[in-house]
């Protein structure tokens, strides 16, 4: 049985907790959770009882020596707590992966992880194909591109009649301008080893959060379209993103037997 630390009790945090409560993530003894808004953790505790222990700061999570800490909060949270978690030799799963496009933050977190024998996990999030992109990288990648389409309200817009391009540029700037919407551009860039080109479109004709990925390499051309249902509790977040964290947690806690993919 394992303890899990959780930073952020919003949409992704609560879906992970539900999965642990239902045994979809087997072997979770306790989730030690922290949210900057204390009421968010209490909501989880009321729903899932003793499985959830609410704490008031990251140090209390570290003290409980969880198997790993899941960040499901914000890019700011990765900056605030990453060093403390990894410095304690505890693995860190990052959902707000946009933070890791900051080269100096990423390098210092990786250095701390290596020094303390800990790992930083990045789930595939709201996209597919990172396994093949990582493999293609070995042969050399010359292009990585992401086109994200979301309903206007997921991008903070009111009613519009026609699709509108809100951003066109590189991933590092995209994750700063749209920190809650294009974490996938960071995961893509990190997997490809080059900074992806990104286009963000508000589309009134779609109800899905759609990510189109184009990667060109010496080995292959990858063209993937992922059409995600938004999470019911946060329209910016795709349900698949929570499921990717749950799936990775299952594999980490399983640790032996049949492993499919990477
Ligand atoms: N990797 C991906 O593909 C992917 C996909 C969707 C969302 N995300 C990211 O995952 C994160 C969580 O998403 P969500 O939909 O659960 O968000 P949410 O807004 O529903 O919940 C986030 C929770 O974290 C808390 N929080 C924020 N910053 C904090 C901090 N510094 N310290 C403590 N608590 C803090 C908030 O109070 C909130 O309760 C976001 O950054 C989001 O952009 C990543």
């Amino acid at each position: 049985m394992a303890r899990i630390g959780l930073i952020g009790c919003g949409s992704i945090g609560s879906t992970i907790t539900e999965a642990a409560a239902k045994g979809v993530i087997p072997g979770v003894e306790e989730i030690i959770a922290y949210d900057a808004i204390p009421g968010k953790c209490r909501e989880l505790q009321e729903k899932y009882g003793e499985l959830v222990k609410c704490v008031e700061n990251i140090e209390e999570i570290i003290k409980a020596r969880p198997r790993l800490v899941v960040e499901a909060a914000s890019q700011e949270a990765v900056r605030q707590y990453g060093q403390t978690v990894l410095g304690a030799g505890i693995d860190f799963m990052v959902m707000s992966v946009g933070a890791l496009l900051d080269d100096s933050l990423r390098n210092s977190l990786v250095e701390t992880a290596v020094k303390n024998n800990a790992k930083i996990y990045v789930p595939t999030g709201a996209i597919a194909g990172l396994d093949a992109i990582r493999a293609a990288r070995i042969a050399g990648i010359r292009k990585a591109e992401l086109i994200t389409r979301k309903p206007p309200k997921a991008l903070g817009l009111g009613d519009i009649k026609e699709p509108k391009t809100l951003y066109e540029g590189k991933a590092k700037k995209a994750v700063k301008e749209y920190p809650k919407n294009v974490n996938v551009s960071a995961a893509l860039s990190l997997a490809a080893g080059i900074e992806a080109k990104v286009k963000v479109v508000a589309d009134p004709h779609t109800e899905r959060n759609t990510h189109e990925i184009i990667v060109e390499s010496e080995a292959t051309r990858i063209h993937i379209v992922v059409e995600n249902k938004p999470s019911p509790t946060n329209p910016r977040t795709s349900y698949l993103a929570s499921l990717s964290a749950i799936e990775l947690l299952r594999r980490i806690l399983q640790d032996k037997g049949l492993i499919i993919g990477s």
Side-chain angles (χ1 to χ4, degrees), residues 136-156:
R137 178 181 176 174
I138 298 168
I141 287 179
R142 55 178 172 266
K143 176 177 167 179
E145 207 174 305
L146 170 77
I147 302 160
T148 292
R149 283 176 188 276
K150 292 192 180 186
K153 82 163 182 221
L155 290 158

Side-chain angles (χ1 to χ4, degrees), residues 151-187:
K153 82 163 182 221
L155 290 158
L157 295 188
D159 276 347
I160 53 171
K161 295 277 173 286
E162 294 302 324
K164 188 174 173 194
T165 300
L166 300 181
Y167 179 85
E168 236 177 327
K170 291 293 197 79
K172 282 183 185 172
K173 196 163 166 226
V175 298
K176 286 200 178 115
E177 293 198 10
Y178 293 92
K180 295 181 176 169
N181 281 288
V182 286
N183 282 291
V184 291
S185 72

Side-chain angles (χ1 to χ4, degrees), residues 7-13 34-37 40 71-77 80-81 94-97 123-127 179-181 183-184 233-234 236-238 241:
I7 304 169
C9 304
S11 180
I12 294 176
Y34 168 67
D35 196 295
I37 304 170
K40 300 286 280 185
E71 174 279 320
S74 59
Q75 291 186 28
E76 191 50 34
Q80 283 176 290
Y81 315 120
V94 175
M95 292 308 297
S96 306
V97 52
T124 50
I127 50 172
K180 295 181 176 169
N181 281 288
N183 282 291
V184 291
T233 47
N234 184 349
R236 289 184 163 91
T237 288
S238 301

